[in-house]
Amino acid sequence: MKKVLLAICLLFSNFTFSQIRINGNVKSEANSPLQYVNIGIKNKNIGTISDEKGNFSITIDNTRINELLTFSYLGFEEKNLKVEELIKLKIQEIILKEKTTVLEEVLIISTRATEIKIGTKSYSSIVAGYVRANNDKNNDIREFAKKIKLKKPSILLDVNINLFNVKTDTASFRVNIYNIKNDLPNEKITTENIIVKKKVENGWNKFDLQNFNLKYNVPIFITIEYLPKKLDEEEPFRYSGQLFGESITRSSSLGIWNSKSGLTMAMYVTVKQ
């Protein structure tokens, strides 16, 4: 009897913890590969991103088979597919439909505008932000957010982050702009992907944003995603931080935003007002 019960328990255990691997490629309707698409189950901290050729691979527990896998990319309509449907139909090519562009409100900036820096402009050697996402089994991202308290029409000129323990020559990042809901990032309000690939070094690193025509007149969140070169790569650097303030991060594509008091990321923007 004990052997039978043991066998049943082992069978149940294997069923419960078995995993599903989904591979595919994300393209536009024009058959162009879409790089760095955020892919995941919303608010479950299970996600990944597509690579430079649009390919992706994600491991999901079979307990999530009835949930929706979301594909999100700026400038394209969000797509949601049931995990079970992806498996049964063996869907490997995901086509995203381009959004119709809506003209943005025109903001007038004074010709006598001045440049100011907003955010955290100092750092402490005892505060570190880790690059690697919590979801180690997938090629996922960790996203760091900074609230920018704009009160009048402003042009974003650059974003600056402080790094240490840098072990790579170059790195790729995505810069996102969000509106605010419940004091957390809500929806992306940029109209195109801002991908920056540049040489990085210990200390302050500046990402020039002037070519993207980013104009806002209300508080926003600006975020940084490090885009990993490959799965299980060596940690390329760490983000510097500062004591006090607030840390707002999420550890996975389309995951849950977490807010913690006592620490904040060393990150600021330069704006023209």
Side-chain angles (χ1 to χ4, degrees), residues 44-60:
K44 301 294 183 180
N45 292 338
I46 300 168
T48 188
I49 56 173
S50 62
D51 65 16
E52 293 180 348
K53 296 181 179 179
N55 297 317
F56 72 92
S57 182
I58 183 169
T59 299
I60 301 172

Side-chain angles (χ1 to χ4, degrees), residues 105-149:
E105 177 186 1
V106 176
L107 297 180
I108 306 300
I109 309 297
S110 169
T111 55
R112 299 175 60 186
T114 57
E115 294 183 11
I116 62 172
K117 294 177 171 61
I118 304 174
T120 303
K121 302 181 285 293
S122 62
Y123 64 95
S124 170
S125 59
I126 63 172
V127 180
Y130 296 94
V131 175
R132 197 177 303 282
N134 290 351
N135 189 14
D136 290 335
K137 60 192 173 187
N138 293 316
N139 194 30
D140 211 353
I141 58 93
R142 180 184 289 272
E143 191 170 4
F144 288 80
K146 174 71 67 174
K147 189 175 184 179
I148 306 300
K149 299 177 181 179

Side-chain angles (χ1 to χ4, degrees), residues 4 18 36 63 93 107 122 161 165 171 177 200 220 227 233 257:
V4 172
S18 64
Y36 309 130
T63 55
E93 189 172 86
L107 297 180
S122 62
I161 57 174
N165 200 28
I177 312 292
V200 290
I220 57 171
L227 302 171
E233 67 179 4
W257 287 104

Side-chain angles (χ1 to χ4, degrees), residues 21-86:
R21 192 77 175 170
I22 298 174
N23 302 302
N25 183 269
V26 191
K27 294 181 177 181
S28 68
E29 289 181 304
N31 206 37
S32 299
L34 297 179
Q35 60 178 355
Y36 309 130
V37 176
N38 291 113
I39 304 162
I41 299 175
K42 284 187 177 181
N43 300 322
K44 301 294 183 180
N45 292 338
I46 300 168
T48 188
I49 56 173
S50 62
D51 65 16
E52 293 180 348
K53 296 181 179 179
N55 297 317
F56 72 92
S57 182
I58 183 169
T59 299
I60 301 172
D61 293 339
N62 69 353
T63 55
R64 306 286 186 186
I65 198 168
N66 292 316
E67 301 208 42
L68 295 175
L69 191 64
T70 297
F71 297 80
S72 178
Y73 195 66
L74 270 177
F76 289 78
E77 293 181 5
E78 188 174 277
K79 192 160 194 171
N80 297 283
L81 295 169
K82 199 171 182 180
V83 173
E84 184 179 32
E85 181 183 2
L86 282 165

Side-chain angles (χ1 to χ4, degrees), residues 28-29 33 35 97-98 113 125 147 167 212 217 250:
S28 68
E29 289 181 304
Q35 60 178 355
K97 184 178 180 180
E98 197 165 354
S125 59
K147 189 175 184 179
K167 299 176 182 177
F212 297 98
N217 62 349
R250 61 177 173 184

Side-chain angles (χ1 to χ4, degrees), residues 42 62 115-116 133 136 168 173 218 250 256 263 265-266 269:
K42 284 187 177 181
N62 69 353
E115 294 183 11
I116 62 172
D136 290 335
T168 185
F173 301 83
V218 293
R250 61 177 173 184
I256 301 170
L263 301 171
M265 184 179 180
V269 298

